[in-house]
Short mmCIF file of all heavy atoms in Angstrom, two decimals:
data_model
loop_
_atom_site.label_atom_id
_atom_site.label_comp_id
_atom_site.label_asym_id
_atom_site.label_seq_id
_atom_site.Cartn_x
_atom_site.Cartn_y
_atom_site.Cartn_z
N MET Z 1 -85.03 14.66 170.48
CA MET Z 1 -86.49 14.69 170.42
C MET Z 1 -86.93 15.36 169.11
O MET Z 1 -86.29 16.28 168.64
CB MET Z 1 -87.06 15.46 171.60
CG MET Z 1 -86.75 14.86 172.96
SD MET Z 1 -87.60 13.33 173.25
CE MET Z 1 -89.01 13.89 174.12
N HIS Z 2 -88.03 14.86 168.60
CA HIS Z 2 -88.59 15.38 167.36
C HIS Z 2 -90.05 15.76 167.62
O HIS Z 2 -90.71 15.18 168.47
CB HIS Z 2 -88.56 14.31 166.26
CG HIS Z 2 -87.20 13.73 166.04
ND1 HIS Z 2 -86.23 14.37 165.33
CD2 HIS Z 2 -86.65 12.57 166.46
CE1 HIS Z 2 -85.14 13.64 165.31
NE2 HIS Z 2 -85.37 12.53 166.00
N THR Z 3 -90.55 16.73 166.86
CA THR Z 3 -91.93 17.13 166.99
C THR Z 3 -92.76 16.39 165.95
O THR Z 3 -92.41 16.35 164.77
CB THR Z 3 -92.10 18.65 166.81
OG1 THR Z 3 -91.26 19.31 167.78
CG2 THR Z 3 -93.54 19.07 167.01
N TYR Z 4 -93.87 15.82 166.41
CA TYR Z 4 -94.81 15.10 165.54
C TYR Z 4 -96.18 15.73 165.69
O TYR Z 4 -96.59 16.14 166.79
CB TYR Z 4 -94.89 13.62 165.94
CG TYR Z 4 -93.60 12.88 165.69
CD1 TYR Z 4 -92.64 12.78 166.69
CD2 TYR Z 4 -93.35 12.28 164.47
CE1 TYR Z 4 -91.46 12.10 166.47
CE2 TYR Z 4 -92.16 11.60 164.24
CZ TYR Z 4 -91.23 11.51 165.23
OH TYR Z 4 -90.05 10.84 165.01
N TYR Z 5 -96.90 15.79 164.58
CA TYR Z 5 -98.25 16.36 164.53
C TYR Z 5 -99.22 15.24 164.20
O TYR Z 5 -98.96 14.42 163.33
CB TYR Z 5 -98.31 17.48 163.48
CG TYR Z 5 -97.33 18.58 163.80
CD1 TYR Z 5 -96.03 18.55 163.28
CD2 TYR Z 5 -97.67 19.62 164.65
CE1 TYR Z 5 -95.11 19.53 163.59
CE2 TYR Z 5 -96.75 20.62 164.97
CZ TYR Z 5 -95.47 20.56 164.43
OH TYR Z 5 -94.56 21.53 164.76
N PHE Z 6 -100.35 15.23 164.90
CA PHE Z 6 -101.33 14.17 164.77
C PHE Z 6 -102.62 14.77 164.20
O PHE Z 6 -103.51 15.19 164.94
CB PHE Z 6 -101.56 13.51 166.14
CG PHE Z 6 -100.31 12.87 166.68
CD1 PHE Z 6 -99.39 13.62 167.39
CD2 PHE Z 6 -100.05 11.54 166.44
CE1 PHE Z 6 -98.22 13.05 167.87
CE2 PHE Z 6 -98.88 10.95 166.92
CZ PHE Z 6 -97.97 11.70 167.63
N ASP Z 7 -102.69 14.82 162.88
CA ASP Z 7 -103.86 15.38 162.19
C ASP Z 7 -104.97 14.35 162.14
O ASP Z 7 -104.72 13.16 161.92
CB ASP Z 7 -103.50 15.81 160.77
CG ASP Z 7 -102.48 16.93 160.71
OD1 ASP Z 7 -102.21 17.56 161.76
OD2 ASP Z 7 -101.96 17.18 159.61
N MET Z 8 -106.20 14.81 162.33
CA MET Z 8 -107.37 13.95 162.22
C MET Z 8 -107.99 14.22 160.84
O MET Z 8 -108.25 15.38 160.50
CB MET Z 8 -108.38 14.27 163.31
CG MET Z 8 -107.82 14.20 164.72
SD MET Z 8 -107.39 12.55 165.23
CE MET Z 8 -108.96 11.97 165.78
N LYS Z 9 -108.22 13.15 160.06
CA LYS Z 9 -108.76 13.32 158.71
C LYS Z 9 -109.92 12.37 158.49
O LYS Z 9 -109.83 11.18 158.74
CB LYS Z 9 -107.69 13.06 157.66
CG LYS Z 9 -106.58 14.08 157.69
CD LYS Z 9 -105.65 13.92 156.53
CE LYS Z 9 -104.59 15.01 156.56
NZ LYS Z 9 -103.72 14.96 155.41
N ASP Z 10 -111.03 12.94 158.01
CA ASP Z 10 -112.20 12.14 157.62
C ASP Z 10 -112.90 12.82 156.46
O ASP Z 10 -114.10 12.83 156.36
CB ASP Z 10 -113.15 11.93 158.79
CG ASP Z 10 -113.78 13.22 159.29
OD1 ASP Z 10 -113.42 14.30 158.80
OD2 ASP Z 10 -114.65 13.14 160.17
N GLY Z 11 -112.14 13.38 155.58
CA GLY Z 11 -112.66 14.19 154.48
C GLY Z 11 -112.20 15.62 154.65
O GLY Z 11 -111.60 16.20 153.78
N VAL Z 12 -112.46 16.18 155.82
CA VAL Z 12 -112.01 17.53 156.15
C VAL Z 12 -110.95 17.40 157.25
O VAL Z 12 -111.25 16.93 158.35
CB VAL Z 12 -113.18 18.41 156.65
CG1 VAL Z 12 -112.68 19.78 157.05
CG2 VAL Z 12 -114.26 18.50 155.60
N PRO Z 13 -109.69 17.76 156.98
CA PRO Z 13 -108.65 17.57 157.99
C PRO Z 13 -108.76 18.56 159.14
O PRO Z 13 -109.15 19.70 158.97
CB PRO Z 13 -107.35 17.80 157.21
CG PRO Z 13 -107.74 18.63 156.03
CD PRO Z 13 -109.17 18.30 155.72
N VAL Z 14 -108.43 18.06 160.33
CA VAL Z 14 -108.29 18.91 161.51
C VAL Z 14 -106.80 18.87 161.85
O VAL Z 14 -106.26 17.82 162.19
CB VAL Z 14 -109.13 18.38 162.69
CG1 VAL Z 14 -108.89 19.22 163.93
CG2 VAL Z 14 -110.60 18.35 162.33
N ARG Z 15 -106.16 20.01 161.70
CA ARG Z 15 -104.71 20.10 161.88
C ARG Z 15 -104.33 20.20 163.35
O ARG Z 15 -104.94 20.95 164.11
CB ARG Z 15 -104.15 21.33 161.15
CG ARG Z 15 -104.43 21.33 159.68
CD ARG Z 15 -103.49 20.42 158.97
NE ARG Z 15 -103.75 20.48 157.54
CZ ARG Z 15 -103.47 19.51 156.72
NH1 ARG Z 15 -102.93 18.41 157.16
NH2 ARG Z 15 -103.74 19.62 155.45
N ASP Z 16 -103.31 19.45 163.71
CA ASP Z 16 -102.70 19.55 165.03
C ASP Z 16 -101.66 20.66 164.93
O ASP Z 16 -100.64 20.51 164.27
CB ASP Z 16 -102.04 18.21 165.39
CG ASP Z 16 -101.24 18.25 166.67
OD1 ASP Z 16 -101.22 19.30 167.35
OD2 ASP Z 16 -100.62 17.23 166.99
N LYS Z 17 -101.92 21.79 165.55
CA LYS Z 17 -101.03 22.95 165.43
C LYS Z 17 -99.91 22.96 166.47
O LYS Z 17 -98.89 23.60 166.28
CB LYS Z 17 -101.83 24.23 165.51
CG LYS Z 17 -102.79 24.39 164.34
CD LYS Z 17 -103.47 25.73 164.42
CE LYS Z 17 -104.64 25.88 163.53
NZ LYS Z 17 -104.62 25.74 162.19
N SER Z 18 -100.08 22.23 167.56
CA SER Z 18 -99.06 22.27 168.63
C SER Z 18 -98.07 21.13 168.54
O SER Z 18 -96.90 21.31 168.86
CB SER Z 18 -99.74 22.29 169.99
OG SER Z 18 -100.55 21.15 170.15
N GLY Z 19 -98.49 19.97 168.13
CA GLY Z 19 -97.59 18.83 168.03
C GLY Z 19 -97.19 18.28 169.38
O GLY Z 19 -97.61 18.77 170.43
N LEU Z 20 -96.36 17.26 169.33
CA LEU Z 20 -95.91 16.58 170.54
C LEU Z 20 -94.47 16.14 170.32
O LEU Z 20 -94.14 15.59 169.25
CB LEU Z 20 -96.80 15.36 170.80
CG LEU Z 20 -96.55 14.55 172.05
CD1 LEU Z 20 -96.79 15.38 173.31
CD2 LEU Z 20 -97.46 13.33 172.06
N GLU Z 21 -93.62 16.39 171.29
CA GLU Z 21 -92.23 15.97 171.17
C GLU Z 21 -92.09 14.52 171.63
O GLU Z 21 -92.47 14.18 172.75
CB GLU Z 21 -91.32 16.87 172.00
CG GLU Z 21 -91.10 18.22 171.36
CD GLU Z 21 -89.97 19.00 172.01
OE1 GLU Z 21 -89.30 18.47 172.92
OE2 GLU Z 21 -89.76 20.14 171.60
N LEU Z 22 -91.55 13.69 170.73
CA LEU Z 22 -91.34 12.28 171.03
C LEU Z 22 -89.96 11.88 170.51
O LEU Z 22 -89.38 12.56 169.67
CB LEU Z 22 -92.42 11.43 170.38
CG LEU Z 22 -93.85 11.67 170.88
CD1 LEU Z 22 -94.87 11.06 169.95
CD2 LEU Z 22 -94.00 11.12 172.29
N GLU Z 23 -89.47 10.74 170.97
CA GLU Z 23 -88.12 10.33 170.64
C GLU Z 23 -87.95 9.76 169.23
O GLU Z 23 -86.87 9.85 168.66
CB GLU Z 23 -87.62 9.29 171.65
CG GLU Z 23 -87.38 9.90 173.01
CD GLU Z 23 -86.63 8.98 173.93
OE1 GLU Z 23 -85.98 8.04 173.45
OE2 GLU Z 23 -86.70 9.22 175.14
N SER Z 24 -89.01 9.15 168.68
CA SER Z 24 -88.83 8.46 167.40
C SER Z 24 -90.15 8.31 166.66
O SER Z 24 -91.23 8.51 167.22
CB SER Z 24 -88.25 7.07 167.64
OG SER Z 24 -89.19 6.26 168.34
N ASP Z 25 -90.04 7.90 165.39
CA ASP Z 25 -91.23 7.58 164.60
C ASP Z 25 -92.03 6.48 165.30
O ASP Z 25 -93.26 6.54 165.36
CB ASP Z 25 -90.86 7.10 163.20
CG ASP Z 25 -90.31 8.19 162.30
OD1 ASP Z 25 -90.21 9.36 162.74
OD2 ASP Z 25 -89.96 7.87 161.15
N GLY Z 26 -91.34 5.49 165.83
CA GLY Z 26 -92.02 4.39 166.52
C GLY Z 26 -92.84 4.86 167.70
O GLY Z 26 -93.97 4.41 167.91
N ALA Z 27 -92.30 5.79 168.47
CA ALA Z 27 -93.03 6.34 169.62
C ALA Z 27 -94.25 7.12 169.14
O ALA Z 27 -95.31 7.08 169.77
CB ALA Z 27 -92.12 7.24 170.46
N ALA Z 28 -94.13 7.81 168.02
CA ALA Z 28 -95.27 8.55 167.46
C ALA Z 28 -96.36 7.59 167.00
O ALA Z 28 -97.55 7.85 167.20
CB ALA Z 28 -94.81 9.44 166.31
N ILE Z 29 -95.98 6.48 166.40
CA ILE Z 29 -96.96 5.49 165.94
C ILE Z 29 -97.69 4.88 167.14
O ILE Z 29 -98.92 4.74 167.12
CB ILE Z 29 -96.28 4.42 165.07
CG1 ILE Z 29 -95.83 5.06 163.75
CG2 ILE Z 29 -97.21 3.23 164.82
CD1 ILE Z 29 -94.91 4.19 162.91
N VAL Z 30 -96.96 4.55 168.19
CA VAL Z 30 -97.60 4.03 169.41
C VAL Z 30 -98.59 5.06 169.95
O VAL Z 30 -99.72 4.71 170.32
CB VAL Z 30 -96.54 3.67 170.48
CG1 VAL Z 30 -97.18 3.43 171.83
CG2 VAL Z 30 -95.73 2.46 170.04
N HIS Z 31 -98.20 6.33 169.96
CA HIS Z 31 -99.10 7.39 170.45
C HIS Z 31 -100.36 7.47 169.58
O HIS Z 31 -101.46 7.63 170.12
CB HIS Z 31 -98.37 8.73 170.47
CG HIS Z 31 -99.18 9.84 171.04
ND1 HIS Z 31 -99.45 9.95 172.38
CD2 HIS Z 31 -99.82 10.87 170.42
CE1 HIS Z 31 -100.22 11.02 172.57
NE2 HIS Z 31 -100.45 11.59 171.40
N SER Z 32 -100.22 7.34 168.26
CA SER Z 32 -101.40 7.41 167.38
C SER Z 32 -102.35 6.26 167.66
O SER Z 32 -103.57 6.43 167.59
CB SER Z 32 -100.99 7.42 165.91
OG SER Z 32 -100.55 6.15 165.48
N LYS Z 33 -101.83 5.09 167.99
CA LYS Z 33 -102.68 3.94 168.31
C LYS Z 33 -103.44 4.20 169.62
O LYS Z 33 -104.62 3.85 169.73
CB LYS Z 33 -101.85 2.67 168.40
CG LYS Z 33 -101.31 2.23 167.04
CD LYS Z 33 -100.46 0.99 167.13
CE LYS Z 33 -99.88 0.62 165.77
NZ LYS Z 33 -100.85 0.41 164.72
N LEU Z 34 -102.77 4.81 170.59
CA LEU Z 34 -103.45 5.16 171.85
C LEU Z 34 -104.54 6.20 171.61
O LEU Z 34 -105.63 6.11 172.19
CB LEU Z 34 -102.43 5.67 172.86
CG LEU Z 34 -101.40 4.65 173.36
CD1 LEU Z 34 -100.34 5.33 174.21
CD2 LEU Z 34 -102.08 3.53 174.13
N LEU Z 35 -104.25 7.19 170.76
CA LEU Z 35 -105.27 8.20 170.42
C LEU Z 35 -106.48 7.55 169.75
O LEU Z 35 -107.62 7.87 170.07
CB LEU Z 35 -104.68 9.26 169.48
CG LEU Z 35 -103.73 10.27 170.07
CD1 LEU Z 35 -103.15 11.14 168.96
CD2 LEU Z 35 -104.43 11.13 171.11
N ALA Z 36 -106.21 6.64 168.81
CA ALA Z 36 -107.30 5.96 168.11
C ALA Z 36 -108.15 5.16 169.10
O ALA Z 36 -109.39 5.19 169.02
CB ALA Z 36 -106.74 5.04 167.02
N ASP Z 37 -107.52 4.47 170.04
CA ASP Z 37 -108.27 3.73 171.06
C ASP Z 37 -109.16 4.66 171.87
O ASP Z 37 -110.32 4.35 172.14
CB ASP Z 37 -107.32 3.00 172.01
CG ASP Z 37 -106.66 1.79 171.39
OD1 ASP Z 37 -107.14 1.31 170.33
OD2 ASP Z 37 -105.64 1.34 171.95
N ARG Z 38 -108.62 5.81 172.25
CA ARG Z 38 -109.39 6.78 173.04
C ARG Z 38 -110.60 7.30 172.26
O ARG Z 38 -111.71 7.39 172.79
CB ARG Z 38 -108.52 7.94 173.48
CG ARG Z 38 -109.27 8.89 174.41
CD ARG Z 38 -108.51 10.08 174.91
NE ARG Z 38 -107.08 9.90 174.97
CZ ARG Z 38 -106.21 10.90 174.86
NH1 ARG Z 38 -106.63 12.13 174.70
NH2 ARG Z 38 -104.92 10.68 174.94
N VAL Z 39 -110.39 7.62 170.98
CA VAL Z 39 -111.50 8.12 170.15
C VAL Z 39 -112.58 7.04 170.02
O VAL Z 39 -113.77 7.34 170.13
CB VAL Z 39 -110.98 8.56 168.76
CG1 VAL Z 39 -112.13 8.84 167.80
CG2 VAL Z 39 -110.09 9.78 168.89
N ARG Z 40 -112.18 5.79 169.78
CA ARG Z 40 -113.17 4.70 169.66
C ARG Z 40 -113.98 4.53 170.94
O ARG Z 40 -115.18 4.29 170.88
CB ARG Z 40 -112.46 3.39 169.32
CG ARG Z 40 -112.17 3.20 167.87
CD ARG Z 40 -111.75 1.77 167.55
NE ARG Z 40 -110.59 1.33 168.32
CZ ARG Z 40 -109.33 1.55 167.97
NH1 ARG Z 40 -109.06 2.21 166.86
NH2 ARG Z 40 -108.34 1.10 168.73
N LYS Z 41 -113.32 4.65 172.09
CA LYS Z 41 -114.03 4.50 173.37
C LYS Z 41 -114.99 5.65 173.62
O LYS Z 41 -116.08 5.45 174.13
CB LYS Z 41 -113.03 4.38 174.51
CG LYS Z 41 -112.34 3.05 174.54
CD LYS Z 41 -111.29 2.99 175.63
CE LYS Z 41 -110.55 1.66 175.55
NZ LYS Z 41 -109.39 1.61 176.43
N GLU Z 42 -114.57 6.87 173.26
CA GLU Z 42 -115.41 8.05 173.50
C GLU Z 42 -116.55 8.15 172.50
O GLU Z 42 -117.59 8.73 172.80
CB GLU Z 42 -114.56 9.32 173.44
CG GLU Z 42 -113.61 9.44 174.61
CD GLU Z 42 -112.70 10.65 174.51
OE1 GLU Z 42 -112.81 11.44 173.54
OE2 GLU Z 42 -111.85 10.81 175.41
N ASN Z 43 -116.36 7.62 171.29
CA ASN Z 43 -117.37 7.74 170.25
C ASN Z 43 -117.40 6.45 169.42
O ASN Z 43 -116.90 6.43 168.29
CB ASN Z 43 -117.08 8.95 169.37
CG ASN Z 43 -118.20 9.23 168.41
OD1 ASN Z 43 -119.26 8.63 168.46
ND2 ASN Z 43 -117.96 10.15 167.48
N PRO Z 44 -118.00 5.38 169.94
CA PRO Z 44 -117.99 4.09 169.24
C PRO Z 44 -118.67 4.11 167.88
O PRO Z 44 -118.39 3.27 167.04
CB PRO Z 44 -118.72 3.15 170.20
CG PRO Z 44 -118.92 3.87 171.46
CD PRO Z 44 -118.67 5.31 171.22
N GLU Z 45 -119.55 5.05 167.64
CA GLU Z 45 -120.29 5.12 166.37
C GLU Z 45 -119.78 6.23 165.47
O GLU Z 45 -120.52 6.76 164.66
CB GLU Z 45 -121.78 5.32 166.66
CG GLU Z 45 -122.40 4.21 167.48
CD GLU Z 45 -122.27 2.85 166.81
OE1 GLU Z 45 -122.45 2.75 165.58
OE2 GLU Z 45 -121.98 1.88 167.53
N GLY Z 46 -118.51 6.58 165.57
CA GLY Z 46 -117.95 7.68 164.80
C GLY Z 46 -117.79 7.38 163.32
O GLY Z 46 -118.10 6.30 162.84
N ASN Z 47 -117.27 8.36 162.61
CA ASN Z 47 -117.06 8.28 161.16
C ASN Z 47 -116.04 7.19 160.84
O ASN Z 47 -114.89 7.26 161.26
CB ASN Z 47 -116.58 9.64 160.65
CG ASN Z 47 -116.44 9.67 159.15
OD1 ASN Z 47 -116.23 8.67 158.48
ND2 ASN Z 47 -116.55 10.87 158.60
N ARG Z 48 -116.43 6.21 160.07
CA ARG Z 48 -115.57 5.07 159.73
C ARG Z 48 -114.39 5.45 158.84
O ARG Z 48 -113.47 4.66 158.68
CB ARG Z 48 -116.39 3.96 159.08
CG ARG Z 48 -117.48 3.41 159.98
CD ARG Z 48 -116.89 2.77 161.22
NE ARG Z 48 -117.91 2.24 162.09
CZ ARG Z 48 -117.92 2.38 163.40
NH1 ARG Z 48 -116.97 3.05 163.99
NH2 ARG Z 48 -118.86 1.88 164.14
N ASP Z 49 -114.41 6.64 158.27
CA ASP Z 49 -113.30 7.09 157.43
C ASP Z 49 -112.21 7.82 158.24
O ASP Z 49 -111.20 8.22 157.67
CB ASP Z 49 -113.80 8.03 156.33
CG ASP Z 49 -114.69 7.31 155.34
OD1 ASP Z 49 -114.48 6.10 155.12
OD2 ASP Z 49 -115.60 7.95 154.80
N LEU Z 50 -112.41 7.99 159.52
CA LEU Z 50 -111.49 8.77 160.34
C LEU Z 50 -110.12 8.10 160.46
O LEU Z 50 -110.03 6.91 160.74
CB LEU Z 50 -112.08 8.99 161.74
CG LEU Z 50 -111.26 9.86 162.68
CD1 LEU Z 50 -111.08 11.27 162.12
CD2 LEU Z 50 -111.92 9.91 164.05
N ARG Z 51 -109.09 8.90 160.21
CA ARG Z 51 -107.71 8.44 160.34
C ARG Z 51 -106.91 9.49 161.11
O ARG Z 51 -107.22 10.67 161.05
CB ARG Z 51 -107.06 8.28 158.97
CG ARG Z 51 -107.60 7.12 158.19
CD ARG Z 51 -107.09 7.14 156.76
NE ARG Z 51 -107.60 6.02 155.99
CZ ARG Z 51 -108.84 5.89 155.55
NH1 ARG Z 51 -109.72 6.83 155.81
NH2 ARG Z 51 -109.22 4.84 154.86
N ILE Z 52 -105.89 9.02 161.79
CA ILE Z 52 -104.92 9.91 162.41
C ILE Z 52 -103.68 9.85 161.54
O ILE Z 52 -103.13 8.77 161.30
CB ILE Z 52 -104.59 9.47 163.85
CG1 ILE Z 52 -105.86 9.51 164.71
CG2 ILE Z 52 -103.49 10.36 164.44
CD1 ILE Z 52 -105.71 8.85 166.06
N VAL Z 53 -103.28 11.00 161.02
CA VAL Z 53 -102.12 11.07 160.14
C VAL Z 53 -101.00 11.76 160.90
O VAL Z 53 -101.15 12.88 161.38
CB VAL Z 53 -102.45 11.84 158.84
CG1 VAL Z 53 -101.23 11.90 157.93
CG2 VAL Z 53 -103.63 11.19 158.13
N ILE Z 54 -99.87 11.06 161.01
CA ILE Z 54 -98.71 11.61 161.72
C ILE Z 54 -97.81 12.30 160.71
O ILE Z 54 -97.40 11.71 159.71
CB ILE Z 54 -97.91 10.50 162.42
CG1 ILE Z 54 -98.79 9.67 163.34
CG2 ILE Z 54 -96.73 11.12 163.18
CD1 ILE Z 54 -98.10 8.43 163.87
N ILE Z 55 -97.49 13.56 161.00
CA ILE Z 55 -96.58 14.35 160.18
C ILE Z 55 -95.41 14.77 161.08
O ILE Z 55 -95.63 15.26 162.19
CB ILE Z 55 -97.29 15.62 159.64
CG1 ILE Z 55 -98.59 15.27 158.92
CG2 ILE Z 55 -96.35 16.44 158.76
CD1 ILE Z 55 -98.42 14.45 157.67
N ASP Z 56 -94.18 14.57 160.59
CA ASP Z 56 -93.05 14.99 161.41
C ASP Z 56 -92.73 16.46 161.16
O ASP Z 56 -93.35 17.12 160.31
CB ASP Z 56 -91.83 14.08 161.22
CG ASP Z 56 -91.15 14.22 159.88
OD1 ASP Z 56 -91.47 15.14 159.09
OD2 ASP Z 56 -90.26 13.40 159.59
N GLU Z 57 -91.75 16.97 161.89
CA GLU Z 57 -91.44 18.40 161.83
C GLU Z 57 -90.93 18.86 160.48
O GLU Z 57 -90.99 20.05 160.16
CB GLU Z 57 -90.44 18.75 162.93
CG GLU Z 57 -89.15 17.97 162.86
CD GLU Z 57 -88.38 18.01 164.17
OE1 GLU Z 57 -88.86 18.57 165.17
OE2 GLU Z 57 -87.26 17.46 164.18
N SER Z 58 -90.48 17.94 159.63
CA SER Z 58 -90.04 18.30 158.28
C SER Z 58 -91.19 18.28 157.28
O SER Z 58 -91.01 18.63 156.12
CB SER Z 58 -88.92 17.36 157.81
OG SER Z 58 -89.44 16.07 157.53
N GLY Z 59 -92.38 17.82 157.71
CA GLY Z 59 -93.54 17.76 156.83
C GLY Z 59 -93.75 16.39 156.21
O GLY Z 59 -94.68 16.19 155.43
N ARG Z 60 -92.92 15.43 156.57
CA ARG Z 60 -93.01 14.07 156.04
C ARG Z 60 -94.12 13.31 156.76
O ARG Z 60 -94.24 13.35 157.98
CB ARG Z 60 -91.68 13.35 156.25
CG ARG Z 60 -91.65 11.89 155.84
CD ARG Z 60 -90.29 11.27 156.10
NE ARG Z 60 -89.97 11.22 157.51
CZ ARG Z 60 -90.14 10.15 158.28
NH1 ARG Z 60 -90.63 9.03 157.79
NH2 ARG Z 60 -89.80 10.21 159.56
N GLU Z 61 -94.94 12.59 155.97
CA GLU Z 61 -95.96 11.74 156.57
C GLU Z 61 -95.28 10.47 157.08
O GLU Z 61 -94.61 9.77 156.34
CB GLU Z 61 -97.04 11.38 155.56
CG GLU Z 61 -98.15 10.55 156.17
CD GLU Z 61 -99.28 10.25 155.22
OE1 GLU Z 61 -99.75 11.18 154.52
OE2 GLU Z 61 -99.70 9.07 155.18
N VAL Z 62 -95.49 10.18 158.36
CA VAL Z 62 -94.85 9.05 159.01
C VAL Z 62 -95.76 7.82 159.01
O VAL Z 62 -95.30 6.69 158.81
CB VAL Z 62 -94.46 9.43 160.46
CG1 VAL Z 62 -93.94 8.24 161.23
CG2 VAL Z 62 -93.45 10.57 160.46
N HIS Z 63 -97.07 8.04 159.24
CA HIS Z 63 -97.98 6.91 159.44
C HIS Z 63 -99.42 7.39 159.33
O HIS Z 63 -99.72 8.55 159.63
CB HIS Z 63 -97.72 6.33 160.84
CG HIS Z 63 -98.60 5.19 161.23
ND1 HIS Z 63 -98.45 3.93 160.72
CD2 HIS Z 63 -99.62 5.11 162.12
CE1 HIS Z 63 -99.34 3.12 161.27
NE2 HIS Z 63 -100.07 3.82 162.12
N ARG Z 64 -100.31 6.47 158.93
CA ARG Z 64 -101.76 6.71 158.97
C ARG Z 64 -102.38 5.62 159.81
O ARG Z 64 -102.21 4.44 159.51
CB ARG Z 64 -102.37 6.65 157.57
CG ARG Z 64 -102.07 7.85 156.74
CD ARG Z 64 -102.69 7.74 155.35
NE ARG Z 64 -102.40 8.97 154.64
CZ ARG Z 64 -103.31 9.83 154.27
NH1 ARG Z 64 -104.58 9.59 154.50
NH2 ARG Z 64 -102.95 10.94 153.66
N GLU Z 65 -103.09 6.02 160.84
CA GLU Z 65 -103.75 5.07 161.73
C GLU Z 65 -105.26 5.14 161.51
O GLU Z 65 -105.89 6.17 161.73
CB GLU Z 65 -103.42 5.41 163.19
CG GLU Z 65 -103.99 4.47 164.20
CD GLU Z 65 -103.36 3.10 164.13
OE1 GLU Z 65 -102.16 2.99 163.75
OE2 GLU Z 65 -104.05 2.12 164.47
N GLN Z 66 -105.84 4.03 161.06
CA GLN Z 66 -107.29 3.92 160.89
C GLN Z 66 -107.92 3.87 162.28
O GLN Z 66 -107.56 3.01 163.08
CB GLN Z 66 -107.61 2.64 160.11
CG GLN Z 66 -109.07 2.47 159.80
CD GLN Z 66 -109.52 3.35 158.65
OE1 GLN Z 66 -108.77 3.60 157.73
NE2 GLN Z 66 -110.74 3.81 158.73
N VAL Z 67 -108.83 4.79 162.59
CA VAL Z 67 -109.43 4.83 163.92
C VAL Z 67 -110.44 3.72 164.11
O VAL Z 67 -110.45 3.03 165.13
CB VAL Z 67 -110.05 6.22 164.21
CG1 VAL Z 67 -110.80 6.22 165.54
CG2 VAL Z 67 -108.97 7.30 164.19
N TYR Z 68 -111.28 3.52 163.11
CA TYR Z 68 -112.31 2.48 163.19
C TYR Z 68 -111.96 1.37 162.19
O TYR Z 68 -111.74 1.66 161.01
CB TYR Z 68 -113.69 3.05 162.86
CG TYR Z 68 -114.13 4.10 163.85
CD1 TYR Z 68 -113.94 5.44 163.57
CD2 TYR Z 68 -114.68 3.75 165.07
CE1 TYR Z 68 -114.33 6.41 164.48
CE2 TYR Z 68 -115.07 4.71 165.98
CZ TYR Z 68 -114.89 6.04 165.68
OH TYR Z 68 -115.28 6.99 166.58
N PRO Z 69 -111.92 0.14 162.62
CA PRO Z 69 -111.60 -0.96 161.70
C PRO Z 69 -112.57 -0.99 160.52
O PRO Z 69 -113.76 -0.70 160.69
CB PRO Z 69 -111.76 -2.21 162.57
CG PRO Z 69 -111.65 -1.73 163.97
CD PRO Z 69 -112.15 -0.33 163.98
N GLN Z 70 -112.08 -1.34 159.38
CA GLN Z 70 -112.90 -1.37 158.17
C GLN Z 70 -113.94 -2.48 158.18
O GLN Z 70 -114.92 -2.42 157.48
CB GLN Z 70 -112.02 -1.53 156.93
CG GLN Z 70 -111.18 -0.31 156.64
CD GLN Z 70 -112.02 0.90 156.29
OE1 GLN Z 70 -113.01 0.81 155.59
NE2 GLN Z 70 -111.63 2.05 156.80
N ASN Z 71 -113.76 -3.52 158.98
CA ASN Z 71 -114.67 -4.67 158.97
C ASN Z 71 -115.84 -4.53 159.93
O ASN Z 71 -116.52 -5.49 160.21
CB ASN Z 71 -113.91 -5.96 159.29
CG ASN Z 71 -113.21 -5.90 160.62
OD1 ASN Z 71 -113.26 -4.89 161.31
ND2 ASN Z 71 -112.54 -6.96 160.98
N THR Z 72 -116.09 -3.32 160.46
CA THR Z 72 -117.22 -3.16 161.38
C THR Z 72 -118.41 -2.60 160.66
O THR Z 72 -118.34 -2.06 159.60
CB THR Z 72 -116.87 -2.24 162.55
OG1 THR Z 72 -116.49 -0.97 162.05
CG2 THR Z 72 -115.80 -2.87 163.41
#
């Protein structure tokens, strides 16, 4: 298991200080997509620049998930 951090960024980053233990980068990416879906449902008119940035326990950026599609 590896620890992944899911930072929210829209100009000013909000750091995930606790992280989540998952089996792989792929599992972390799936989790970021689920988080993005939840944010869109809770706040459909949110900041269009919002991204979820996955950082692994070594500090490496794994993935950036756009929360709101650019074509809206």
